[in-house]
Amino acid sequence: MTPIELPLFVFEQMADQARAIAPVEACGILAGVDRRVTRLYEMTNVDNSSDHFMMNPAEQFSVIKLIRAAGLKMIAVYHSHPATPARPSEEDIRLALQPDVAWVILSLERPDEPYARAFSIDGDGVAEIPLTIVKG
Ligand SMILES: [Zn+2]
């Protein structure tokens, strides 16, 4: 599977957002060109929950319009796991309705060492996508 390239500054934005709203799960959208992420769009977790998330549909709609207007593509939906490993939960698997959009999960299990993993979720099948953090 083609790796997803995630610039370090985007990873850090994601980690800062996740830390700022922990223990609630953070969520958002990663956009870019091909499999190279160039920017992140923070979204509101309308469930305000520590073990699942739901994006605000109106906010999601306007972000998708912004991504298109910028000539970018939606590469992944990301969310944080404030206290558990970066593995899709059963609910994540159930909610993943777009197999062409990757799932990136950022774990704050070890608060000083946040890490992220990417997955392709299709029905009941979960496959890890290599995620490369690049400088810049
Ligand atoms: Zn999750």
Side-chain angles (χ1 to χ4, degrees):
M1 205 147 354
T2 317
I4 293 175
E5 281 184 28
L6 184 68
L8 185 60
F9 81 93
V10 174
F11 173 79
E12 284 171 349
Q13 283 175 349
M14 211 162 51
D16 287 347
Q17 178 196 359
R19 284 195 198 97
I21 77 155
V24 168
E25 287 194 3
C27 62
I29 290 175
L30 300 176
V33 178
D34 299 324
R35 298 284 255 186
R36 191 160 36 83
V37 173
T38 56
R39 64 161 300 175
L40 135 170
Y41 296 83
E42 288 188 17
M43 306 281 291
T44 308
N45 178 358
V46 292
D47 279 353
N48 207 37
S49 159
S50 62
D51 61 10
H52 55 270
F53 76 100
M54 178 69 66
M55 296 192 289
N56 174 334
E59 196 181 16
Q60 187 177 358
F61 184 73
S62 57
V63 162
I64 287 169
K65 277 206 301 199
L66 286 174
I67 291 171
R68 287 212 191 105
L72 302 175
K73 195 184 88 163
M74 178 168 162
I75 296 174
V77 168
Y78 71 86
H79 71 285
S80 64
H81 282 180
T84 54
R87 265 199 306 271
S89 65
E90 279 175 32
E91 179 157 0
D92 291 337
I93 295 169
R94 205 160 45 78
L95 291 178
L97 299 174
Q98 291 170 278
D100 55 324
V101 174
W103 278 56
V104 168
I105 301 176
L106 179 116
S107 171
L108 294 179
E109 191 185 10
R110 297 184 301 270
D112 297 336
E113 298 168 61
Y115 69 97
R117 293 169 71 189
F119 301 90
S120 148
I121 304 178
D122 185 359
D124 291 336
V126 177
E128 183 154 11
I129 303 172
L131 184 67
T132 312
I133 304 220
V134 292
K135 288 261 163 78

